[in-house]
Amino acid sequence: MTVSAATTAPTPTFEAHPIRGRFNSVFFRLMEPYLEWNLRRHKQRAFGQMPGRVVELGAGVGANLRHLPDGATLVAVEPNPHMHRRLEAAAERRGVHLELCDRVAEDTGLADHSVDTAISSLVLCTVADPAQVLAEVRRILRPGGTYRFVEHVAAPARTPTRAVQRILRRPWAWTFEGCSCERDLESVIRSAGFSAVSIESYRLRTPFIPFNTHIAGTARS
Ligand SMILES: C[S@@+](CC[C@H](N)C(=O)[O-])C[C@H]1O[C@@H](n2cnc3c(N)ncnc32)[C@H](O)[C@@H]1O
């Protein structure tokens, strides 16, 4: 059954740039081993023991397929068509049954309270309105269902990392199709109306300084 988003805000659209859309597909494919090396233990905690059917927002080229249980089904909400071919190939390689959903996370088209587990990594930084995405997550999760996330966030105010995030915000957003390193996503998640939220904050050791500050955790519907 297809339903509309829970909020009254207009649904954002996603237009993949013909060059940067392709660039991001290749970039995230090439960077996958490096990102996995950096994020593995945080993803293992957040994405551990998932059920056999998972909805992923902004699945990209399939970085999180390895964290699904054997034989799982992934409902991948991914609006950038340049990601699709690599995502399909990765799902086939890993034996994951893929249901590709060419829509935005703000309006997944999934039925109310039909989902046990929704996940995202490095996506709330890029969507037009993270609060609207979380309202959609709450709409599709069944009572007791969980949203699990690994996301990069703004560094604390008046720190050198925060200053770098500020200086690089425009070229960063241009390159990564709207990505912002300046979002306080912990506050957005905590105020989204989930019944229980657990979040860990951590820093990565990476030369991509604007990307150093992260959160991971779970939010229960
Ligand atoms: C930085 S990439 C991360 C991809 C993948 N999750 C990973 O960890 O490698 C951000 C992804 O979010 C997708 N995206 C952007 N806006 C979106 C939206 N409104 N709804 C769903 N996905 C979106 C992009 O197409 C891209 O695949």
Side-chain angles (χ1 to χ4, degrees):
M1 182 179 61
T2 299
V3 291
S4 59
T7 62
T8 52
T11 302
T13 54
F14 180 92
E15 279 181 40
H17 188 274
I19 295 169
R20 291 195 301 275
R22 285 185 175 84
F23 164 80
N24 275 274
S25 175
V26 173
F27 179 86
F28 281 100
R29 178 69 192 89
L30 294 178
M31 290 296 282
E32 194 179 311
Y34 176 75
L35 289 171
E36 178 64 18
W37 177 72
N38 267 284
L39 293 170
R40 181 183 298 123
R41 63 200 168 95
H42 305 290
K43 285 190 175 181
Q44 281 173 342
R45 270 203 288 277
F47 299 159
Q49 300 192 330
M50 290 201 284
R53 182 173 185 272
V54 171
V55 172
E56 179 168 9
L57 312 172
V61 294
N64 296 320
L65 292 168
R66 72 186 75 222
H67 296 282
L68 297 174
D70 289 347
T73 294
L74 182 70
V75 180
V77 180
E78 176 49 68
N80 179 352
H82 304 297
M83 300 286 182
H84 292 175
R85 186 172 49 83
R86 289 188 175 84
L87 176 58
E88 284 166 342
E92 198 171 321
R93 272 198 311 278
R94 293 199 174 270
V96 170
H97 176 66
L98 184 70
E99 293 177 16
L100 190 48
C101 178
D102 187 1
R103 298 176 71 120
V104 289
E106 292 86 343
D107 181 20
T108 62
L110 299 169
D112 290 356
H113 313 307
S114 61
V115 171
D116 280 319
T117 301
I119 67 172
S120 71
S121 69
L122 317 181
V123 170
L124 293 183
C125 51
T126 302
V127 298
D129 183 350
Q132 198 178 347
V133 169
L134 295 176
E136 175 70 352
V137 168
R138 288 191 57 216
R139 183 186 70 72
I140 63 174
L141 282 179
R142 66 163 176 77
T146 55
Y147 167 55
R148 302 158 181 229
F149 49 87
V150 174
E151 296 285 346
H152 71 96
V153 295
R158 293 178 293 283
T159 59
T161 303
R162 188 74 183 79
V164 176
Q165 289 173 336
R166 188 75 190 152
I167 290 163
L168 293 181
R169 68 190 186 284
R170 288 205 176 89
W172 188 277
W174 186 86
T175 306
F176 296 113
E177 299 205 287
C179 175
S180 169
C181 296
E182 299 190 288
R183 290 187 174 170
D184 175 6
L185 295 173
E186 174 162 354
S187 297
V188 180
I189 293 168
R190 287 199 187 281
S191 55
F194 290 100
S195 66
V197 175
S198 160
I199 297 182
E200 62 156 338
S201 304
Y202 54 94
R203 289 183 71 97
L204 300 182
R205 287 203 197 119
T206 153
F208 295 97
I209 292 169
F211 179 75
N212 274 350
T213 40
H214 276 239
I215 59 171
T218 58
R220 192 168 296 282
S221 179

